[in-house]
């Protein structure tokens, strides 16, 4: 629920060191079937079971809603554990990167939609929370090429507030507890909006910085190539090569004369003293300097 694929997980052949890093080789050997990914899959499987328990017998049976609350609580707890295991053991898989945020959004979205359908929760609250979660998820994919937006403390607090409030609404509460759950949900809504705006700000800043760094890198590369192309050493080397080839070609008096002209040297044609104009060689030298 933090927005970061915490259970981007996978086992490795090497024995993990608690809190340590396994390195690239171990991460590349990550296995799909590890404890963090299994917990994520359990959370996904709990979603349809939670919905059936919550809506059973019309959705107003206190006993069945208690069962639904238990399923919801297990799902939220697995979210905490798979994230901890993934961070502690450096378990990373593509499945975890995709499945973890989907599982988080699925269980919370199912709870909010079902509660609104039953009339226990206003639809505008469900709309605000779901719009924020979907928007932030899409925004993360938008900036993932430039940077990864880490989960903030506010985001984690938002997740806790949402889970607590939704869980209280799943239970059949009356009196002061019913009033308390409303205010807990209001806190969750405020945190949802504030943290969402903060994530948008971070995304814009990170993307601008990344694009500026890319433009600077391209500029430095272009400048270096231009300096290398216009280096005086290149022109001297070309001139030296042409001068070395000229006398030998001129001595032959045959096809070497045209070769000397192409290399930029002024040579004498056999039997005469008129120098051959180095038109082609001069053009090549100008191109090298430019």
């Amino acid at each position: 629920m933090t927005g970061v694929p915490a259970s981007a997980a996978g086992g490795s052949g090497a024995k993990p060191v608690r809190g340590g890093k396994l390195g690239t080789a171990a991460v590349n050997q990550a296995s799909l079937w590890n404890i963090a990914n299994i917990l994520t899959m359990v959370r996904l499987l709990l979603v349809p079971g939670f919905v059936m328990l919550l809506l059973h017998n019309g959705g107003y049976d206190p006993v069945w809603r208690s069962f639904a609350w238990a399923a919801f609580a297990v799902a939220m707890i697995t979210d905490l554990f798979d994230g901890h295991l993934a961070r502690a053991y450096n378990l990373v898989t593509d499945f975890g990167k995709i499945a973890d945020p989907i599982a988080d959004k699925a269980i919370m979205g199912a709870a909010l939609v079902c509660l609104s359908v039953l009339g226990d929760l206003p639809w505008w609250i469900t709309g605000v929370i779901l719009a924020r979660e979907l928007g932030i998820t899409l925004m993360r994919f938008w900036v993932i090429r430039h940077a990864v937006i880490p989960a903030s403390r506010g985001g984690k607090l938002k997740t806790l507030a949402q889970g607590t409030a939704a869980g209280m609404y799943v239970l059949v509460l009356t009196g002061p507890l019913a009033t308390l759950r409303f205010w807990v949900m209001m806190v969750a809504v405020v945190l949802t909006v504030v943290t969402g705006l903060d994530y948008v700000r971070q995304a814009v800043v990170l993307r601008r910085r990344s694009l500026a760094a890319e433009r600077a890198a391209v500029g430095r590369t272009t400048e270096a190539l231009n300096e290398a192309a216009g280096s005086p050493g290149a022109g001297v080397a070309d001139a030296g090569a042409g001068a070395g080839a000229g006398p030998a070609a001129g001595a032959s008096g045959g096809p070497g004369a045209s070769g000397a002209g192409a290399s930029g040297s002024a040579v004498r044609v056999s039997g005469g003293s008129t120098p051959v104009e180095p038109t082609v060689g001069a053009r090549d030298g100008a191109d090298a300097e430019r």
Side-chain angles (χ1 to χ4, degrees), residues 44-279:
L44 282 169
L45 293 175
L46 280 173
V47 174
F50 163 76
V51 172
M52 288 188 294
L53 291 172
L54 181 59
L55 299 180
H56 185 75
N57 199 20
Y60 297 102
D61 189 322
V63 176
W64 286 101
R65 289 187 68 151
S66 298
F67 293 153
W69 177 88
F72 182 81
V74 170
M76 298 303 294
I77 291 172
T78 58
D79 181 34
L80 298 177
F81 275 102
D82 66 3
H84 173 74
L85 292 171
R87 288 188 297 269
Y89 292 97
N90 251 357
L91 305 175
V92 178
T93 63
D94 291 337
F95 171 82
K97 294 177 183 178
I98 298 173
D100 184 79
I102 291 177
D104 296 342
K105 304 301 183 294
I107 189 66
M108 181 58 66
L112 296 175
V113 171
C114 288
L115 290 171
S116 294
V117 168
L118 294 173
D120 294 337
L121 187 68
W123 275 105
W124 71 265
I125 294 179
T126 298
V128 168
I129 295 177
L130 294 184
R132 186 270 191 194
E133 299 298 339
L134 179 60
I136 296 301
T137 300
L138 295 176
M139 184 192 65
R140 287 182 183 277
F141 284 108
W142 176 56
V143 301
I144 195 170
R145 184 177 69 88
H146 305 282
V148 175
I149 304 176
S152 64
R153 291 183 178 179
K156 295 176 181 179
L157 186 59
K158 177 269 305 179
T159 300
L160 177 62
Q162 284 183 358
T164 303
M168 294 178 71
Y169 269 90
V170 169
L171 291 172
V172 179
L173 301 178
T174 57
L177 289 178
T179 303
L180 177 63
R181 70 181 181 182
F182 171 79
W183 290 110
V184 174
M185 181 59 77
M186 289 300 100
V187 171
V189 170
V190 171
L191 290 174
T192 297
V193 174
V194 172
T195 56
L197 294 175
D198 183 61
Y199 278 136
V200 171
R201 179 191 62 80
Q202 292 185 57
V204 172
V205 171
L206 288 174
R207 189 171 187 274
R208 286 179 178 175
R209 289 178 180 174
S210 177
L211 291 176
E214 290 178 2
R215 286 193 293 266
V218 171
R220 287 193 297 268
T221 302
T222 304
E223 183 179 354
L225 292 175
N226 290 338
E227 290 179 356
S231 175
V236 172
D238 291 343
S252 66
S258 61
S263 65
S265 303
V267 300
R268 295 180 182 279
V269 180
S270 177
S273 61
T274 304
V276 178
E277 294 297 331
T279 54

